[in-house]
Amino acid sequence: MSHLNRRQALRLFAAAGMAGTAAPILAACTSDSSPKANPAAPSGPPIKIGMIVPQTGMFKDLGNELDNGFSLYLQLHDQKLGGRQVNLIKVDEGETAESGKAAAEKLVKEQKVLAVTGVVNPLSLLAMKDTIEAAQIPLIGSNASPAQLQLMGPKYIWRTSFVSTEPGSALARYAVANGGGPIAIVGQTGPGGDDDEVRTFAENLRSAGGTVAGTPRITPFGSKDFGNLFQQVKQSGAAAMYAIYSGATAVEFVKQYRAAHFPPTFKLFAPGSLTEGFVLKQLGDTAKDIYTALNYSPDLDNAANRRFIADYQKAFGTVPSTYAMASYDAAVVLDKAITDATKSLDSFSLNAAIGRLGQIDSPRGGWQFSQTRSPLQRWYLRQVRFDGAVLSNVLTAELTTL
């Protein structure tokens, strides 16, 4: 496994906000050209694709990254998928399951879209499941999928990201080998009140021969005060901690973790969401030395990622997150499947074509859909540390394939 040779320059340009200056230099760092529309692809009448992303509220930053990834792919392909001109219809997901479901109903019932993509809130995905399945319109979700959805066996809901319990499954063995002793497990209840991510990591930790310090500690969704939690962890005899938080809660958790002054040898492990994308920008060096597991790192050295990094940097002046990457891949999936199904293109034939797709050449590395309609993909260990003058999630090792 190797890193991008120009990674340090990329981070420096992003930090300095030198998008206009960085783009031509980045282009010169690789001979790979950006993907273009395939002139041999079949053509046909325009198609409607619906995008559900938060345009307001607490999930807006994440929604922007999903929007950026999908829009970038369209820009690079003359606004076409499968040779068809795309009318991208964006609807605000909002903050709640109800608003997310209403967005899906608007797209499938009023707009009659061919397919849907996006969706940030896992509760939204659960709430709109019946609407999508009844309409027989494929939804390619590009954020983490709740574990409960796997048990429902949807036929029209696909995910280009991952299942929410997978980061813990990927990281458990490494945490046991490198944690230095018992590991405390902390996390918030899922938006729906579940504790699947906490429970799954605990099970994997014990299976790998590790010890849970005390019992897993679960805080209410949206908690902002962790003083008592950290005191309990210190009293438990833990040598390390696994923490499941995201978004604004992750920012507050990490800041209070630093203020709690754990010993220098104490290690903090987490899913990638604790330090990914806009969260790391808000945390700065407060996040230094945190270890996370994720399906993507910007310094993966493969041709698809070199193109993606350069194109994303040129378009948005920053480094892409896993959220942007998964949304970009959702567009790749639709492009390939529409090309395959275009002779008799409708939502039903498109869904069948998605099921026939083989390996996707992705910035994360090659992956393909499993029988559960989620990616079979590699998982990576990242450490927050300085890469040149910029603090980044630096690729450290390959963990496993899930």
Side-chain angles (χ1 to χ4, degrees), residues 73-242:
Y73 190 87
L74 288 180
Q75 291 171 23
L76 297 172
H77 292 78
D78 301 325
Q79 303 298 319
K80 293 181 180 180
L81 294 175
R84 305 287 191 97
Q85 197 71 34
V86 172
N87 178 13
L88 185 63
I89 303 172
K90 301 176 185 179
V91 180
D92 186 6
E93 181 183 342
E95 293 185 338
T96 67
E98 291 74 20
S99 60
K101 181 179 179 180
E105 290 178 343
K106 179 177 181 178
L107 289 173
V108 302
K109 295 179 180 180
E110 297 178 19
Q111 295 293 337
K112 309 292 184 183
V113 296
L114 177 69
V116 178
T117 190
V119 187
V120 167
N121 188 347
L123 271 187
S124 292
L125 200 58
L126 291 172
M128 66 181 66
K129 182 256 182 185
D130 289 344
T131 298
I132 295 297
E133 294 292 305
Q136 297 185 324
I137 292 177
L139 186 158
I140 299 88
S142 42
N143 191 29
S145 168
Q148 304 98 300
L149 189 64
Q150 303 291 97
L151 303 177
M152 298 178 180
K155 296 180 179 179
Y156 287 85
I157 299 179
W158 308 77
R159 282 79 74 189
T160 56
S161 183
F162 53 87
V163 178
S164 61
T165 54
E166 288 181 326
S169 298
L171 189 57
R173 187 168 297 277
Y174 179 88
V176 170
N178 296 275
I183 298 175
I185 304 175
V186 302
Q188 62 186 4
T189 54
D194 63 87
D195 64 349
D196 290 342
E197 294 177 61
V198 171
R199 177 175 45 79
T200 298
F201 181 77
E203 292 172 354
N204 280 273
L205 186 74
R206 294 187 181 104
S207 295
T211 302
V212 178
T215 58
R217 295 163 176 84
I218 301 175
T219 57
F221 183 72
S223 294
K224 294 296 177 65
D225 184 358
F226 301 101
N228 290 336
L229 176 69
F230 292 140
Q231 189 63 32
Q232 292 173 22
V233 171
K234 288 181 177 180
Q235 293 172 354
S236 72
M241 179 165 54
Y242 182 76

Side-chain angles (χ1 to χ4, degrees), residues 53-61 92-95:
V53 289
Q55 298 170 348
T56 57
M58 62 180 175
F59 299 126
K60 184 178 184 297
D61 287 336
D92 186 6
E93 181 183 342
E95 293 185 338

